[in-house]
Amino acid sequence: MRLAKHLAHAGVASRRAAEVLIAEGRVLVDGAVVTDPARDVTGTERIQVDGERIGSGPMVRAVYAVHKPAGVISSVSDTHGRATVVDLMRGTSAAQARRLYPVGRLDVDTTGLLLLTDDGDLAHQLTHPKFEVPKTYIATIRGRMRPETARRLARGVMLDDGLTLPAEVRLKDPVTVELTLREGRKRQVRRMLEAVGHPVRNLRRVRFGPLELGTLAEGRVRRLTPAEVQALRDAAAGVGGRRT
Ligand code: URA
């Protein structure tokens, strides 16, 4: 089988993208760089892409954390030609060899922690309403919020698609509120804050289940460690009980 086809079958990339990887000299067969996508392989060779072994079963799935800047959209491509989170991954060579999809969405104006993965099952579990993991947002708002308004938000507010689930709400100061939600309706934080008379000025996601945004700089990407991926899998499966 041709090398590019073999890489496509192994789930590394589409056949065309695999041809590019090969032409760029990023594919090694038995330790030697091969730049000819038509090179025949039998499947018994040791094949590496960007130093990562493939061929002995599917590639290990990867999860990346991205600090999404404002103005970047969360989908894989955009019909209006706007920058996407997948574009942010272009600089990371290992990520280029994968077909990555965002885990859920952040609004174009929202910044903060977004995950991307080629593990469809994990992405599905993390976004499925039944398993929805808690996500924490920090909003700066218009007007000064009173503590009783924060308590009202925590109990649940009526939106046009129904009452919100109980949430954890912490007023850090009168114009900064931290919310932890277990549901992910469209523009939910913005709509909740609007409903109580405090439209959002800025919104940032700082936590996704067990993962913190931490010090990851805006626009930067990092691959999660195996321990972090396991913690995410546990959170998606509800291991350790539900946390808020
Ligand atoms: N809630 C919002 O309103 N926007 C987001 O991007 C995420 C949660």
Side-chain angles (χ1 to χ4, degrees):
M1 185 186 288
R2 285 159 56 102
L3 179 56
K5 187 174 178 186
H6 179 77
L7 294 181
H9 279 201
V12 170
S14 68
R15 202 175 309 178
R16 258 195 57 68
E19 285 171 0
V20 173
L21 290 172
I22 296 164
E24 287 176 348
R26 291 161 55 186
V27 179
L28 271 64
V29 176
D30 289 332
V33 173
V34 171
T35 53
D36 175 12
R39 157 81 181 262
D40 266 321
V41 290
T42 62
T44 55
E45 299 86 348
R46 180 184 165 80
I47 299 177
Q48 291 162 276
V49 178
D50 288 331
E52 190 170 341
R53 174 100 191 253
I54 67 119
S56 46
M59 247 164 84
V60 174
R61 302 289 179 203
V63 187
Y64 294 84
V66 175
H67 185 159
K68 187 185 103 52
V72 172
I73 62 160
S74 296
S75 33
V76 176
S77 62
D78 182 48
T79 48
H80 297 93
R82 290 175 296 183
T84 73
V85 285
V86 172
D87 294 332
L88 294 177
M89 309 295 294
R90 304 237 187 268
T92 48
S93 60
Q96 266 180 324
R98 300 172 183 273
R99 281 188 237 198
L100 295 168
Y101 297 96
V103 177
R105 298 271 163 106
L106 289 176
D107 298 335
V108 64
D109 294 330
T110 304
T111 62
L113 181 58
L114 185 72
L115 302 179
L116 288 109
T117 184
D118 55 357
D119 187 332
D121 291 339
L122 180 63
H124 177 72
Q125 281 190 350
L126 286 169
T127 50
H128 194 285
K130 192 166 139 203
F131 305 107
E132 191 111 32
V133 300
K135 299 174 194 89
T136 302
Y137 300 86
I138 295 183
T140 51
I141 54 170
R142 293 189 191 279
R144 299 171 70 81
M145 190 183 285
R146 302 196 332 206
E148 57 265 37
T149 308
R151 286 195 288 273
R152 212 171 106 212
L153 274 173
R155 284 195 300 270
V157 289
M158 187 54 85
L159 301 179
D160 53 15
D161 52 0
L163 190 65
T164 60
L165 288 178
E168 199 173 290
V169 179
R170 201 159 67 87
L171 209 45
K172 291 164 86 74
D173 63 53
V175 297
T176 314
V177 53
E178 184 185 284
L179 300 95
T180 301
L181 308 185
R182 286 193 164 280
E183 50 183 346
R185 301 191 217 165
K186 210 164 176 233
R187 299 178 70 82
Q188 184 167 347
V189 174
R190 292 175 193 276
R191 289 191 294 137
M192 286 172 75
L193 287 164
E194 177 106 42
V196 297
H198 293 285
V200 163
R201 279 182 188 279
N202 271 297
L203 185 61
R204 181 160 48 107
R205 182 156 72 192
V206 294
R207 198 174 173 94
F208 188 110
L211 292 176
E212 306 241 12
L213 177 62
T215 56
L216 186 65
E218 206 167 290
R220 301 308 292 261
V221 174
R222 75 174 179 89
R223 185 170 174 173
L224 300 189
T225 65
E228 287 174 320
V229 175
Q230 190 55 49
L232 266 182
R233 290 189 196 287
D234 289 348
V239 173
R242 302 211 124 189
R243 316 171 36 190
T244 41

